[in-house]
Structures are given as C-alpha cells and as structure tokens.
Amino acid sequence: MTDTTRQDFLDLNLFRGLGEDPVYHPPVLADRPRDWPLDRWAEAPRDLGFSDFARYQWRGLRMLKDPDTQAAYHDLMAELRPRTVIELGVYSGGSLVWFRDMAELMGFDCQVLGIDRDLSRCQIPESEMKNISLREADCSDLATFEQLRDLPHPLVFIDDAHANTFNILRWSVDHLLHEGDYFIIEDMIPYWYRYSPKLLTEYLAAFAGELSMDMVYANASSQLERGVLRRSAPKA
C-alpha cells in the first residue's frame, strides 16, 4: 500500500471478543479458600487464582477495562471534557455507564453512545440509561456509521470491537473527527505489531499529518499501548 489516499485497508484483526456471559459474576477461588489463615500467612499464594480481567466491574456490570486503563481515561476525560464519547463494541455496557458517571462527577455534559451490531448482550437497566444511547452499526458496512455525523465535540471515539478498524478510522478522519478529537484503538496494536508489523506501520503512516499519537496516554496501560490517536489537523 503505497498510495496514502487508499481507503480500503485489510482487516488486520481476527480477534472477535471473549464471547462469554456478559453478566458480571463475582470471582470464585476454586483452588484455595478465600479466607487465608494468618498463622500460615507466609505460605499464601501470590497469584489471584482466577482471571484478573473477569473481576472488573462497575456498579454490577462487566467492565472490560483494567484499573490502569480506567485511570488513563479518567485523566483524559478531566483534560478534554468531551461532549461525546463513542464506544464501538458494547458488550455488557459497563464502561458506558462508567463514562457517563465520570462525566457527571466531573461536572460536564457528555452523551455516551454505544455502538454494536448485536446489542442483545447489553445489560444496562433502563433506569441507568440517562445520557446513554445505543445504536446498531456493522463494522463491515461504513454506511451504517453515517448516523454519527454532527455529534457534539470534543469527541472521543473508542474502537473496542476490533473489526475493520482502519477503514473505520479512515471514515472517522474524513467525516467525523475535529481537531483535538480522539480515536482510541484498544488492545490490538501490540498484537498487530507482532503479527503484521509492516502492514501496521504502513497503515498508521497513511494518517500522518492528520493524526498524531498522544504520548501522555499512549503508554498509560497495556490496553491503550500506542493506540491513543488525536486529530492533529483541522477537519478538511
């Protein structure tokens, strides 16, 4: 891919999400008691004994963002004070409620929009939908993203669906992002760099002059590693 105006990027990702029950369940220690006797304190295992990632939740909803990632988003929210947060990939919806609550606690108006082609796994109760909306869109069909035009700015667009990412990024740069807005690719940059380093480098270079990597947040957590991109030029 030598023509940087090309918009048809191959999908680097084959990852399709965790696929398990999106409802939050407290972790269970199957191989040890939860209450460890203090007279055997020195013998206690140091590892957690369960999937650390599965225990993250917000107000009883599964939240697939680790504490370091939550802290980075907290600081970005406080700095940018976005009027719109879009998350592509809803799952149980825990992070949508978290973003809404963070904005309310910080005292600014923010609409949180969750996008997925299958919203059936979302567990947000109707009573918690204030300032949250859900919309269907298909990552393979960019026409379904036309509904995102004219949203309030500043804006943060989080790709947590990991499908057709660079074509969605191209659409966002051309039609959505204003100067200072963010497009954040969660989780996948290290994997893509490991398995498709030349293509990843080439794809990112196609956005030189339009996007830059925000080094304050780009390495703040493993989930955000080198994936926090900011619109560095005005929208054409």
Side-chain angles (χ1 to χ4, degrees):
M1 177 179 155
T2 56
D3 181 1
T4 58
T5 64
R6 175 181 169 186
Q7 296 188 25
D8 184 18
F9 297 92
L10 296 174
D11 192 350
L12 298 181
N13 173 56
L14 297 177
F15 179 75
R16 287 295 178 268
L18 298 180
E20 75 273 27
D21 183 2
V23 179
Y24 171 70
H25 302 284
V28 176
L29 299 177
D31 63 342
R32 71 200 63 174
R34 180 166 183 172
D35 295 304
W36 193 268
L38 291 184
D39 58 355
R40 296 175 54 208
W41 174 85
E43 303 170 27
R46 297 295 298 275
D47 65 287
L48 292 172
F50 55 82
S51 172
D52 188 50
F53 202 57
R55 72 191 178 108
Y56 304 138
Q57 54 95 15
W58 179 251
R59 298 174 65 180
L61 295 170
R62 289 285 303 280
M63 183 175 177
L64 302 183
K65 290 177 173 44
D66 63 30
D68 287 342
T69 302
Q70 294 175 39
Y73 276 126
H74 171 278
D75 291 352
L76 176 58
M77 295 274 287
E79 178 184 2
L80 186 64
R81 300 176 72 84
R83 295 185 63 199
T84 304
V85 172
I86 304 169
E87 184 156 33
L88 181 56
V90 171
Y91 204 52
S92 66
S95 59
L96 302 181
V97 177
W98 185 85
F99 280 118
R100 188 274 312 278
D101 289 349
M102 289 303 101
E104 287 191 348
L105 288 169
M106 294 177 192
F108 62 88
D109 292 329
C110 179
Q111 294 296 316
V112 179
L113 177 59
I115 301 175
D116 209 307
R117 68 178 183 178
D118 178 11
L119 295 170
S120 65
R121 296 181 298 176
C122 183
Q123 303 292 323
I124 304 174
E126 188 62 34
S127 60
E128 288 294 336
M129 289 297 294
K130 176 186 176 183
N131 292 339
I132 297 173
S133 58
L134 302 173
R135 300 186 191 178
E136 291 186 352
D138 188 338
C139 292
S140 64
D141 182 1
L142 296 181
T144 63
F145 286 83
E146 290 294 323
Q147 60 184 304
L148 303 184
R149 290 177 183 260
D150 302 322
L151 292 170
H153 299 262
L155 179 149
V156 177
F157 192 152
I158 301 164
D159 173 27
D160 198 15
H162 320 310
N164 205 26
T165 296
F166 284 93
N167 287 309
I168 294 170
L169 178 57
R170 180 76 267 170
W171 181 91
S172 299
V173 168
D174 291 344
H175 303 295
L176 179 64
L177 300 180
H178 291 184
E179 186 175 7
D181 288 346
Y182 282 80
F183 191 100
I184 298 175
I185 302 171
E186 286 193 7
D187 303 315
M188 298 310 298
I189 293 289
Y191 294 95
W192 290 335
Y193 188 68
R194 179 177 179 181
Y195 296 110
S196 305
K198 292 182 180 179
L199 279 178
L200 175 63
T201 301
E202 189 176 348
Y203 286 6
L204 289 171
F207 297 93
E210 300 170 301
L211 299 173
S212 61
M213 184 165 59
D214 187 338
M215 296 304 292
V216 171
Y217 302 109
N219 294 299
S221 78
S222 59
Q223 287 185 279
L224 301 179
E225 184 176 341
R226 293 189 285 182
V228 181
L229 310 178
R230 179 165 58 184
R231 183 69 191 256
S232 53
K235 182 180 177 183

